[in-house]
Amino acid sequence: MRKFISLLFILLLISVLLYTDSAKGQFNIPTPPKKITPIQDYVGILSNIETEKLNKKLILYSKETSTEILVTIIQDLHGEDPNFLAIKWGEKWKIGKLHKNNGIIILLSVNDKKISIQNGYGIEPYLTDLSTIKIIKKVKPLLKNNFYYQAIDLSLQNIFQILQGKFKKENKKITSKSYYLGYIFLFLVILLIFLKIGDPSLLNTLFFINFLFPLNKNFNDDENEDDFDSFGGGGNFGGGGSSENW
């Protein structure tokens, strides 16, 4: 009976150990939301204002350069390798533009005190492993003192500087320009008719159109955050990077 109990205990212990081992490295990357914004803070270490500032900066940067930088902040790696997890995250969420593969993942794990920066293949020639190591070393003192916003912002400043002039924004449909030219054409037609006929009602119509569609309307889509669709479209990762503890 004692042998049976001892054997049962051993089997139970082995089962527990096997379950623990299988649980390691099982971080489930979330399903990408319909609209992927640059900052994904699953811990809540950033304030709303800090998140908004970083989102605006990264959305504008993506519009100016087509480069997408996703910052993910998680509580725990669950035994996962930070580099592997960052790469898989970038691939699953398809960060970076199609055919450019210019996506970057900055992954922070708060409990593990680890940071990883991983690149899409299009970034690899410019943001090298050595470059990411230098960036991480610069921000480690900030992370050690829990200055997460400052650490992320400094990382971005360094990345922007390294990638300056390397990528250009993608061409958009010229819907705003076409609209603007059409309005000018309509304005000129009505003005010519008024000058020829001299009907005041035409002038009133002209002023009414100008009220609806003012000439000083901002047609620059790049400055309008509301026209931001989402990150995603690429996702070919494995172009180098590095990670360290802080």
Side-chain angles (χ1 to χ4, degrees), residues 50-162:
E50 291 171 341
T51 300
E52 184 179 356
K53 284 182 179 179
L54 292 173
N55 271 326
K56 284 185 176 180
K57 178 178 289 190
L58 288 173
I59 288 171
L60 181 59
Y61 183 71
S62 70
K63 290 179 178 181
E64 292 176 344
T65 67
S66 78
T67 301
E68 297 180 353
I69 302 176
L70 182 75
V71 180
T72 59
I73 306 170
I74 60 174
Q75 192 76 54
D76 199 294
L77 290 165
H78 297 289
E80 192 74 85
D81 177 81
N83 293 336
F84 179 77
L85 181 59
I87 289 171
K88 289 301 178 185
W89 205 311
E91 290 176 344
K92 184 174 181 177
W93 285 31
K94 302 184 183 301
I95 301 303
K97 296 300 182 184
L98 188 63
H99 306 309
K100 290 187 179 182
N101 296 312
N102 55 342
I104 299 172
I105 302 291
I106 301 176
L107 174 70
L108 299 177
S109 178
V110 177
N111 285 352
D112 302 286
K113 297 187 181 297
K114 288 186 178 181
I115 176 173
S116 176
I117 302 176
Q118 296 298 313
N119 309 326
Y121 280 108
I123 298 291
E124 184 178 12
Y126 317 112
L127 190 62
T128 62
D129 295 355
L130 181 60
S131 299
T132 55
I133 290 172
K134 288 181 178 179
I135 293 173
I136 291 174
K137 287 189 181 300
K138 286 182 181 179
V139 303
K140 277 174 65 173
L142 293 170
L143 292 171
K144 285 180 179 179
N145 288 284
N146 300 327
F147 295 135
Y148 297 106
Y149 170 79
Q150 291 83 351
I152 294 169
D153 192 50
L154 182 59
S155 300
L156 297 177
Q157 290 177 33
N158 281 268
I159 292 173
F160 293 169
Q161 185 176 4
I162 293 171

Side-chain angles (χ1 to χ4, degrees), residues 9 17 35 43 83 95 111 141 150 184 187 200 234:
F9 177 76
L17 291 174
K35 184 174 183 178
V43 184
N83 293 336
I95 301 303
N111 285 352
Q150 291 83 351
I184 292 178
F187 184 94

Side-chain angles (χ1 to χ4, degrees), residues 120-244:
Y121 280 108
I123 298 291
E124 184 178 12
Y126 317 112
L127 190 62
T128 62
D129 295 355
L130 181 60
S131 299
T132 55
I133 290 172
K134 288 181 178 179
I135 293 173
I136 291 174
K137 287 189 181 300
K138 286 182 181 179
V139 303
K140 277 174 65 173
L142 293 170
L143 292 171
K144 285 180 179 179
N145 288 284
N146 300 327
F147 295 135
Y148 297 106
Y149 170 79
Q150 291 83 351
I152 294 169
D153 192 50
L154 182 59
S155 300
L156 297 177
Q157 290 177 33
N158 281 268
I159 292 173
F160 293 169
Q161 185 176 4
I162 293 171
L163 297 182
Q164 188 172 6
K166 305 302 182 185
F167 293 93
K168 296 180 180 179
K169 65 180 178 180
E170 293 188 330
N171 294 325
K172 294 185 177 181
K173 294 179 181 178
I174 318 177
T175 53
S176 295
K177 289 184 179 179
S178 300
Y179 178 85
Y180 185 69
L181 291 173
Y183 172 59
I184 292 178
F185 177 76
L186 180 62
F187 184 94
L188 292 175
V189 169
I190 295 176
L191 182 61
L192 288 173
I193 294 174
F194 169 74
L195 292 175
K196 187 173 182 179
I197 299 176
D199 187 352
S201 63
L202 289 174
L203 186 60
N204 293 334
T205 302
L206 182 62
F207 285 131
F208 178 71
I209 293 174
N210 186 51
F211 174 76
L212 291 178
F213 310 103
L215 281 173
N216 63 350
K217 179 179 175 64
N218 183 11
F219 290 102
N220 188 352
D221 290 337
D222 291 339
E223 298 299 328
N224 186 5
E225 189 181 351
D226 293 336
D227 71 349
F228 171 70
D229 295 325
S230 175
F231 275 4
N236 196 356
F237 272 74
S242 60
S243 65
E244 278 193 36

